[in-house]
Amino acid sequence: MVTAPVTVREALRGVQERFRAGGIDTPELDARLLLQAATGLRHEDIVMEASRRVTVEALAQLEGMVTRRLKREPVSRILGVRAFWNADFKVTPETLDPRPDSETLVEGVLAHADKAKPLALLDLGTGTGCLLLSLLQELPLAAGLGIDISAGAVETARLNAVTLGLSGRVEFMEKDWKELTPLSLYDVVIGNPPYIALPEIAELAPEVRKYDPITALSGGPDGLDCYREIAALLPRILAKNSLVALEIGAAQAADVKGILGKAGLVVLQTLTDLAGHDRCIIARWTRA
Ligand code: GLN
């Protein structure tokens, strides 16, 4: 094994410094995660084995990852995996990178859904499948369908379902929700649709603007296009007393409530994320 004249501690500090100089938001965390991935060391080993020499191969691998991060590629995309709710999800260029903020929707559904019923779930624009699969983990009697216009996303969601041992209770289909001809009615409809208004896309952090698929971000001129499309679809696919949970942008609560209300839904709640921003609307369909 060839080792470089660099210890774990020196490698970590060197990367942290480069990330700080490069304007990366979380230099310590990112440096550690990439060093762990390159060396195979666990979090605790980074401290315990700080004086160990890093191998030449690991150092070369680390360098490749650091170069990518300095171009603002998120750590989750470099590693190809992102932790969400209770699991690790494979992330690919065709999927939105799951955000901790979206766990708000999972919490919201769990607060309102009846765990004892065999609920039928539908996820509109499933991406990695993180929302639907996390809910299926928590609702052992439920089954779900996830749709996405991206074939790559559907493939990724399927792989995530297999990894989590959930493929028996979930199906993923490449489909536009505008073309969804419902075969059955759903008890819970969820979605994190693209909701960034066109003029705001240029202002997003480079990690988002350059690496998340634009089709997963752009919600049209005012960011609300998808909510209008989904509201038009909902009355055709909802079972009586079903639940709808949609992620929203921080300034969209009033508009989305208005859109859902006009479609005949009863808005129950607006949930905030950890930063205190409006993040999810929960509504109920009370008609038959
Ligand atoms: N939450 C993402 C962001 O603000 C956007 C995701 C979306 O449009 N659904 O970066």
Side-chain angles (χ1 to χ4, degrees):
M1 188 169 65
V2 186
T3 54
V6 176
T7 63
V8 167
R9 182 187 295 111
E10 287 162 348
L12 185 65
R13 293 206 175 141
V15 175
Q16 285 175 350
E17 243 159 69
R18 287 166 70 191
F19 282 174
R20 245 176 254 127
I24 302 297
D25 259 1
T26 48
E28 285 82 13
L29 176 66
D30 292 6
R32 176 171 63 74
L33 291 174
L34 296 184
L35 183 61
Q36 278 179 233
T39 58
L41 292 170
R42 294 166 305 173
H43 187 178
E44 55 269 34
D45 299 331
I46 298 282
V47 183
M48 302 297 285
E49 312 268 343
S51 307
R52 191 205 283 193
R53 295 263 183 98
V54 180
T55 67
V56 168
E57 292 79 13
L59 210 57
Q61 216 195 327
L62 179 64
E63 191 52 37
M65 295 196 286
V66 168
T67 306
R68 288 170 70 179
R69 185 69 191 103
L70 285 169
K71 290 184 186 150
R72 297 304 187 100
E73 186 167 352
V75 169
S76 50
R77 292 204 182 275
I78 297 169
L79 303 182
V81 63
R82 163 79 99 158
F84 182 86
W85 197 255
N86 277 328
D88 285 337
F89 288 84
K90 182 181 166 71
V91 177
T92 56
E94 295 86 11
T95 65
L96 188 81
D97 187 2
R99 323 277 208 260
D101 291 339
S102 302
E103 294 178 347
T104 308
L105 185 149
V106 177
E107 279 172 11
V109 171
L110 293 176
H112 289 274
D114 186 348
K115 275 194 175 192
K117 287 202 174 134
L119 300 170
L121 274 53
L122 172 66
D123 184 9
L124 302 171
T126 197
T128 59
C130 65
L131 294 173
L132 179 58
L133 295 170
S134 297
L135 283 168
L136 290 176
Q137 282 184 312
E138 303 289 341
L139 302 167
L141 302 181
L145 168 66
I147 64 168
D148 204 291
I149 47 168
S150 156
V154 167
E155 196 183 316
T156 307
R158 278 190 194 130
L159 285 172
N160 282 324
V162 171
T163 308
L164 297 177
L166 289 168
S167 26
R169 286 196 285 139
V170 71
E171 211 186 316
F172 290 103
M173 276 167 45
E174 183 187 343
K175 200 152 211 45
D176 187 329
W177 58 58
K178 292 198 290 295
E179 278 141 33
L180 190 68
T181 39
L183 296 175
S184 58
L185 299 178
Y186 294 92
D187 304 302
V188 182
V189 175
I190 58 170
N192 175 14
Y195 54 66
I196 311 291
L198 272 177
E200 283 156 30
I201 290 195
E203 293 154 29
L204 294 169
E207 278 83 352
V208 177
R209 182 170 37 83
K210 288 168 70 179
Y211 295 98
D212 276 313
I214 186 73
T215 44
L217 294 175
S218 172
D222 65 355
L224 298 167
D225 277 1
C226 293
Y227 300 103
R228 287 186 280 260
E229 291 171 11
I230 291 171
L233 166 74
L234 287 174
R236 291 192 282 125
I237 61 169
L238 292 174
K240 187 170 165 66
N241 283 324
S242 53
L243 205 62
V244 174
L246 297 176
E247 179 163 327
I248 57 164
Q252 293 174 328
D255 287 326
V256 175
K257 279 193 222 174
I259 291 169
L260 294 178
K262 249 171 74 185
L265 285 110
V266 180
V267 174
L268 301 180
Q269 219 183 344
T270 303
L271 296 169
T272 52
D273 60 24
L274 289 173
H277 298 127
D278 287 345
R279 188 57 62 199
C280 176
I281 301 277
I282 308 273
R284 198 173 279 287
W285 178 253
T286 54
R287 304 183 195 171

mmCIF file of all heavy atoms in Angstrom, residues 68 70-74 77 201 204-213 217:
data_model
loop_
_atom_site.group_PDB
_atom_site.id
_atom_site.type_symbol
_atom_site.label_atom_id
_atom_site.label_comp_id
_atom_site.label_asym_id
_atom_site.label_seq_id
_atom_site.Cartn_x
_atom_site.Cartn_y
_atom_site.Cartn_z
ATOM 1 N N ARG A 68 -14.660 18.684 -7.928
ATOM 2 C CA ARG A 68 -16.093 18.761 -8.267
ATOM 3 C C ARG A 68 -16.830 19.659 -7.287
ATOM 4 O O ARG A 68 -17.656 20.481 -7.667
ATOM 5 C CB ARG A 68 -16.707 17.351 -8.267
ATOM 6 C CG ARG A 68 -16.267 16.520 -9.460
ATOM 7 C CD ARG A 68 -16.675 15.064 -9.333
ATOM 8 N NE ARG A 68 -18.117 14.882 -9.465
ATOM 9 C CZ ARG A 68 -18.721 13.686 -9.400
ATOM 10 N NH1 ARG A 68 -17.999 12.591 -9.218
ATOM 11 N NH2 ARG A 68 -20.028 13.590 -9.523
ATOM 12 N N LEU A 70 -15.663 22.108 -5.569
ATOM 13 C CA LEU A 70 -15.299 23.521 -5.775
ATOM 14 C C LEU A 70 -16.031 24.124 -6.968
ATOM 15 O O LEU A 70 -16.193 25.331 -7.068
ATOM 16 C CB LEU A 70 -13.774 23.674 -5.928
ATOM 17 C CG LEU A 70 -12.994 23.529 -4.610
ATOM 18 C CD1 LEU A 70 -11.497 23.425 -4.878
ATOM 19 C CD2 LEU A 70 -13.287 24.697 -3.655
ATOM 20 N N LYS A 71 -16.512 23.251 -7.862
ATOM 21 C CA LYS A 71 -17.360 23.737 -8.975
ATOM 22 C C LYS A 71 -18.809 23.796 -8.538
ATOM 23 O O LYS A 71 -19.707 23.929 -9.354
ATOM 24 C CB LYS A 71 -17.210 22.812 -10.189
ATOM 25 C CG LYS A 71 -15.860 22.915 -10.850
ATOM 26 C CD LYS A 71 -15.832 22.042 -12.098
ATOM 27 C CE LYS A 71 -14.442 22.025 -12.699
ATOM 28 N NZ LYS A 71 -14.173 20.757 -13.395
ATOM 29 N N ARG A 72 -19.036 23.616 -7.239
ATOM 30 C CA ARG A 72 -20.361 23.750 -6.588
ATOM 31 C C ARG A 72 -21.278 22.555 -6.776
ATOM 32 O O ARG A 72 -22.490 22.659 -6.549
ATOM 33 C CB ARG A 72 -21.067 25.035 -7.033
ATOM 34 C CG ARG A 72 -20.340 26.287 -6.630
ATOM 35 C CD ARG A 72 -20.112 26.309 -5.124
ATOM 36 N NE ARG A 72 -19.562 27.566 -4.678
ATOM 37 C CZ ARG A 72 -20.284 28.545 -4.118
ATOM 38 N NH1 ARG A 72 -21.561 28.382 -3.909
ATOM 39 N NH2 ARG A 72 -19.702 29.669 -3.757
ATOM 40 N N GLU A 73 -20.721 21.425 -7.199
ATOM 41 C CA GLU A 73 -21.553 20.220 -7.224
ATOM 42 C C GLU A 73 -21.809 19.793 -5.771
ATOM 43 O O GLU A 73 -20.882 19.731 -4.963
ATOM 44 C CB GLU A 73 -20.834 19.096 -7.990
ATOM 45 C CG GLU A 73 -21.700 17.870 -8.166
ATOM 46 C CD GLU A 73 -21.121 16.883 -9.175
ATOM 47 O OE1 GLU A 73 -20.132 17.198 -9.856
ATOM 48 O OE2 GLU A 73 -21.687 15.780 -9.275
ATOM 49 N N PRO A 74 -23.065 19.531 -5.399
ATOM 50 C CA PRO A 74 -23.341 19.160 -4.006
ATOM 51 C C PRO A 74 -22.695 17.821 -3.632
ATOM 52 O O PRO A 74 -22.525 16.947 -4.479
ATOM 53 C CB PRO A 74 -24.872 19.023 -3.970
ATOM 54 C CG PRO A 74 -25.371 19.718 -5.183
ATOM 55 C CD PRO A 74 -24.285 19.625 -6.206
ATOM 56 N N ARG A 77 -24.505 14.703 -4.718
ATOM 57 C CA ARG A 77 -24.371 14.290 -6.127
ATOM 58 C C ARG A 77 -23.002 13.660 -6.370
ATOM 59 O O ARG A 77 -22.877 12.725 -7.161
ATOM 60 C CB ARG A 77 -24.591 15.481 -7.060
ATOM 61 C CG ARG A 77 -26.025 15.974 -7.022
ATOM 62 C CD ARG A 77 -26.430 16.718 -8.273
ATOM 63 N NE ARG A 77 -27.794 17.185 -8.137
ATOM 64 C CZ ARG A 77 -28.870 16.451 -8.415
ATOM 65 N NH1 ARG A 77 -28.732 15.220 -8.874
ATOM 66 N NH2 ARG A 77 -30.067 16.954 -8.240
ATOM 67 N N ILE A 201 -35.007 31.682 -11.028
ATOM 68 C CA ILE A 201 -34.092 30.542 -11.249
ATOM 69 C C ILE A 201 -32.635 31.013 -11.297
ATOM 70 O O ILE A 201 -31.755 30.383 -10.710
ATOM 71 C CB ILE A 201 -34.509 29.766 -12.512
ATOM 72 C CG1 ILE A 201 -35.831 29.067 -12.166
ATOM 73 C CG2 ILE A 201 -33.425 28.780 -12.967
ATOM 74 C CD1 ILE A 201 -36.298 27.999 -13.049
ATOM 75 N N LEU A 204 -30.886 31.266 -7.851
ATOM 76 C CA LEU A 204 -30.690 30.100 -6.977
ATOM 77 C C LEU A 204 -29.198 29.848 -6.758
ATOM 78 O O LEU A 204 -28.360 30.226 -7.580
ATOM 79 C CB LEU A 204 -31.314 28.856 -7.617
ATOM 80 C CG LEU A 204 -32.839 28.856 -7.765
ATOM 81 C CD1 LEU A 204 -33.278 27.688 -8.645
ATOM 82 C CD2 LEU A 204 -33.521 28.788 -6.411
ATOM 83 N N ALA A 205 -28.871 29.199 -5.638
ATOM 84 C CA ALA A 205 -27.474 28.835 -5.371
ATOM 85 C C ALA A 205 -26.977 27.963 -6.521
ATOM 86 O O ALA A 205 -27.746 27.180 -7.089
ATOM 87 C CB ALA A 205 -27.396 28.064 -4.057
ATOM 88 N N PRO A 206 -25.670 28.086 -6.865
ATOM 89 C CA PRO A 206 -25.145 27.279 -7.979
ATOM 90 C C PRO A 206 -25.356 25.778 -7.773
ATOM 91 O O PRO A 206 -25.567 25.045 -8.736
ATOM 92 C CB PRO A 206 -23.656 27.614 -8.023
ATOM 93 C CG PRO A 206 -23.414 28.659 -7.006
ATOM 94 C CD PRO A 206 -24.680 29.008 -6.317
ATOM 95 N N GLU A 207 -25.325 25.335 -6.511
ATOM 96 C CA GLU A 207 -25.546 23.906 -6.224
ATOM 97 C C GLU A 207 -26.899 23.447 -6.771
ATOM 98 O O GLU A 207 -27.060 22.303 -7.179
ATOM 99 C CB GLU A 207 -25.528 23.658 -4.707
ATOM 100 C CG GLU A 207 -24.153 23.525 -4.090
ATOM 101 C CD GLU A 207 -23.518 24.868 -3.774
ATOM 102 O OE1 GLU A 207 -24.074 25.922 -4.170
ATOM 103 O OE2 GLU A 207 -22.450 24.875 -3.131
ATOM 104 N N VAL A 208 -27.895 24.340 -6.721
ATOM 105 C CA VAL A 208 -29.246 24.017 -7.178
ATOM 106 C C VAL A 208 -29.359 24.294 -8.682
ATOM 107 O O VAL A 208 -29.731 23.425 -9.471
ATOM 108 C CB VAL A 208 -30.283 24.880 -6.403
ATOM 109 C CG1 VAL A 208 -31.695 24.610 -6.910
ATOM 110 C CG2 VAL A 208 -30.176 24.617 -4.905
ATOM 111 N N ARG A 209 -29.007 25.509 -9.071
ATOM 112 C CA ARG A 209 -29.182 25.980 -10.459
ATOM 113 C C ARG A 209 -28.413 25.111 -11.456
ATOM 114 O O ARG A 209 -28.917 24.786 -12.534
ATOM 115 C CB ARG A 209 -28.705 27.426 -10.515
ATOM 116 C CG ARG A 209 -28.836 28.124 -11.825
ATOM 117 C CD ARG A 209 -28.566 29.632 -11.690
ATOM 118 N NE ARG A 209 -27.513 30.011 -10.763
ATOM 119 C CZ ARG A 209 -26.208 30.017 -11.044
ATOM 120 N NH1 ARG A 209 -25.775 29.656 -12.232
ATOM 121 N NH2 ARG A 209 -25.319 30.390 -10.136
ATOM 122 N N LYS A 210 -27.182 24.726 -11.078
ATOM 123 C CA LYS A 210 -26.340 23.999 -12.032
ATOM 124 C C LYS A 210 -26.557 22.490 -11.994
ATOM 125 O O LYS A 210 -26.230 21.793 -12.945
ATOM 126 C CB LYS A 210 -24.857 24.285 -11.750
ATOM 127 C CG LYS A 210 -24.429 25.682 -12.135
ATOM 128 C CD LYS A 210 -23.062 26.036 -11.599
ATOM 129 C CE LYS A 210 -21.928 25.273 -12.263
ATOM 130 N NZ LYS A 210 -20.607 25.706 -11.695
ATOM 131 N N TYR A 211 -27.082 21.962 -10.886
ATOM 132 C CA TYR A 211 -27.085 20.498 -10.740
ATOM 133 C C TYR A 211 -28.458 19.853 -10.592
ATOM 134 O O TYR A 211 -28.607 18.674 -10.898
ATOM 135 C CB TYR A 211 -26.159 20.089 -9.592
ATOM 136 C CG TYR A 211 -24.724 20.419 -9.903
ATOM 137 C CD1 TYR A 211 -24.135 21.585 -9.421
ATOM 138 C CD2 TYR A 211 -23.979 19.597 -10.746
ATOM 139 C CE1 TYR A 211 -22.826 21.918 -9.754
ATOM 140 C CE2 TYR A 211 -22.672 19.915 -11.080
ATOM 141 C CZ TYR A 211 -22.096 21.077 -10.580
ATOM 142 O OH TYR A 211 -20.821 21.391 -10.920
ATOM 143 N N ASP A 212 -29.471 20.584 -10.106
ATOM 144 C CA ASP A 212 -30.801 19.985 -10.078
ATOM 145 C C ASP A 212 -31.388 20.100 -11.479
ATOM 146 O O ASP A 212 -31.183 21.104 -12.162
ATOM 147 C CB ASP A 212 -31.713 20.726 -9.077
ATOM 148 C CG ASP A 212 -31.540 20.228 -7.656
ATOM 149 O OD1 ASP A 212 -31.545 18.996 -7.463
ATOM 150 O OD2 ASP A 212 -31.397 21.068 -6.746
ATOM 151 N N PRO A 213 -32.130 19.070 -11.940
ATOM 152 C CA PRO A 213 -32.712 19.172 -13.286
ATOM 153 C C PRO A 213 -33.694 20.350 -13.345
ATOM 154 O O PRO A 213 -34.507 20.515 -12.436
ATOM 155 C CB PRO A 213 -33.445 17.842 -13.469
ATOM 156 C CG PRO A 213 -33.330 17.095 -12.192
ATOM 157 C CD PRO A 213 -32.476 17.836 -11.240
ATOM 158 N N LEU A 217 -37.391 22.025 -11.168
ATOM 159 C CA LEU A 217 -37.363 23.314 -10.465
ATOM 160 C C LEU A 217 -38.375 24.311 -11.004
ATOM 161 O O LEU A 217 -39.049 25.011 -10.248
ATOM 162 C CB LEU A 217 -35.967 23.953 -10.601
ATOM 163 C CG LEU A 217 -34.779 23.266 -9.942
ATOM 164 C CD1 LEU A 217 -33.492 24.002 -10.317
ATOM 165 C CD2 LEU A 217 -34.942 23.219 -8.435
#
